Amino acid sequence: MKKLVFLFAVAVLAATNLDAQKYFTKEGNITFHAGTKVEDIDATNAAATCIIDAGTGDMEWSALVKGFKFKRALMEEHFNENYMESNTYPKSTFKGKIENISSVKFTADGSYKVKVSGKLTMHGETKDVTTDGTIVVKAGKITADSKFYVNPADYKIAVPSAVQDKISNNIEIVVNANLAELKK
Amino acid sequence: MKKVLIILLVLGLIGGGIGVYLWNKPHRTAENEKPVATLTAEDLFLKFSTDEKTAMTDYLDKTIEVKGTINAISTNETGDTKITLATSHLLAEISCLMKNGTDVSGIQTGTEIVIKGICIGYDTDVQLQQSVIIKK
């Protein structure tokens, strides 16, 4: 009997593991607001890759720096050449974990608050980032949303004193993505 | 004295003009650039997926011309038209963001196209932006 219970437990565990799906998109959106009261500096990248492992809670994002679109060409040029140095550091990534992944029921429609922590790499520098987010499950698809703040100085992005009043030292980064199950 | 004032005025106007021009400068597009390479979607994908470093040196920030079969035509979150070209990999495509105002009428998925765009790197897709259609 004990053996049977054990076997049953193993079977259940195996089944849960098999169920652990990955969710994926390559059309994730990342928008940042780096301006101050003096000037708006906004840009969006609509081609970020995001992958979430529903079993382990592992979450990865990556985006091409040159893919951030600004309204003004001059700002885009400065962003790439002077601040992000995108020829040297073409990609930004986030590798982390949804800490409370077990509270997200990927099989049941609903909205779940999540805590995410991980490492954000940009401009060649890697820093810890912790943030809150929301995962909405609807008909097998999920939407992931979050917002967090970064200080350019932490990533060794130098802001010349002449424009210091124009560029925030608390840049708001908004991310959202619609993910679908990754078929193996 | 009058001469100096006129010179200062002219210099001021030139400076202001340059400022206004820079502020309203148009985005760089592939339209008037000569491609550094012409290749198929599959070849481009293979170059990036097998040796990203070399491919980046060869193509990053450069204009290239790519020939491939259209997988999808869509409008993305920033309102730009996107044409994706198929590769042999299930998830990977050549993703081409088109220059503002590109006319995509009469273009159909499954047909062949030649697109010229500025390569911005490789993530899941090899991405081109500010692209123009060379041949339908």
Side-chain angles (χ1 to χ4, degrees):
Chain A
M1 183 60 198
K2 244 183 190 166
K3 204 172 172 185
L4 206 65
V5 170
F6 175 72
L7 279 177
F8 180 71
V10 168
V12 167
L13 271 177
T16 352
N17 237 341
L18 281 178
D19 270 343
Q21 262 293 351
K22 282 185 177 168
Y23 290 84
F24 169 82
T25 183
K26 51 183 180 181
E27 294 178 321
N29 301 303
I30 302 175
T31 297
F32 67 78
H33 306 285
T36 59
K37 278 178 193 149
V38 183
E39 193 168 84
D40 285 334
I41 305 170
D42 307 323
T44 298
N45 185 321
T49 295
C50 175
I51 185 158
I52 296 173
D53 186 318
T56 60
D58 288 336
M59 175 190 253
E60 277 190 43
W61 286 80
S62 61
L64 298 177
V65 177
K66 287 182 191 294
F68 280 93
K69 200 178 169 186
F70 291 71
K71 229 182 262 157
R72 297 207 175 269
L74 189 67
M75 273 187 195
E76 194 169 304
E77 204 176 292
H78 288 170
F79 169 77
N80 280 295
E81 289 171 10
N82 306 347
Y83 298 106
M84 295 296 278
E85 300 178 82
S86 60
N87 278 333
T88 315
Y89 311 108
K91 213 182 275 188
S92 292
T93 59
F94 174 81
K95 281 182 188 164
K97 229 177 170 61
I98 299 170
E99 303 286 358
N100 55 333
I101 189 70
S102 55
S103 65
V104 183
K105 291 181 183 57
F106 286 91
T107 47
D109 286 5
S111 176
Y112 307 91
K113 294 263 170 257
V114 291
K115 277 207 164 320
V116 178
S117 65
K119 293 186 180 307
L120 176 66
T121 303
M122 57 180 192
H123 195 241
E125 296 294 315
T126 301
K127 288 278 175 298
D128 289 328
V129 166
T130 305
T131 181
D132 294 324
T134 310
I135 287 186
V136 175
V137 178
K138 204 177 174 194
K141 291 195 172 173
I142 67 170
T143 309
D145 281 283
S146 184
K147 185 166 91 176
F148 58 96
Y149 296 86
V150 299
N151 181 348
D154 289 343
Y155 297 86
K156 298 210 164 75
I157 297 167
V159 177
S161 53
V163 291
Q164 233 149 33
D165 60 331
K166 290 183 182 162
I167 298 176
S168 169
N169 55 18
N170 202 25
I171 295 173
E172 183 185 75
I173 301 185
V174 182
V175 300
N176 73 75
N178 299 312
L179 303 96
E181 272 186 35
L182 185 62
K183 305 267 185 284
K184 277 164 202 156
Chain B
M1 188 57 201
K2 213 174 170 187
K3 219 171 172 182
V4 173
L5 275 178
I6 289 172
I7 289 172
L8 279 177
L9 188 71
V10 168
L11 284 177
L13 281 175
I14 291 172
I18 291 173
V20 169
Y21 168 75
L22 283 178
W23 186 240
N24 294 305
K25 190 169 118 161
H27 284 268
R28 172 192 168 201
T29 78
E31 192 161 31
N32 296 316
E33 297 195 5
K34 209 169 159 289
V36 298
T38 302
L39 61 183
T40 65
E42 180 67 9
D43 280 345
L44 181 62
F45 166 66
L46 287 176
K47 278 187 194 290
F48 273 96
S49 58
T50 52
D51 185 357
E52 189 175 349
K53 219 175 151 195
T54 305
M56 286 297 261
T57 315
D58 290 347
Y59 305 126
L60 181 66
D61 213 25
K62 290 174 185 152
T63 290
I64 51 178
E65 205 171 283
V66 187
K67 181 173 156 183
T69 305
I70 302 172
N71 250 357
I73 306 156
S74 60
T75 305
N76 78 357
E77 197 74 15
T78 50
D80 295 295
T81 301
K82 184 167 92 174
I83 298 178
T84 59
L85 308 178
T87 72
S88 57
H89 190 283
L90 190 65
L91 289 173
E93 299 172 303
I94 309 301
S95 161
C96 314
L97 281 188
M98 306 310 291
K99 167 184 175 281
N100 261 354
T102 299
D103 179 19
V104 291
S105 61
I107 290 175
Q108 286 175 340
T109 56
T111 60
E112 206 158 76
I113 195 168
V114 180
I115 290 175
K116 184 170 75 165
I118 302 166
C119 183
I120 62 166
Y122 169 59
D123 198 6
T124 308
D125 293 343
V126 178
Q127 297 183 26
L128 307 187
Q129 65 182 18
Q130 299 290 355
S131 317
V132 289
I133 296 166
I134 297 298
K135 207 173 125 211
K136 290 183 208 178

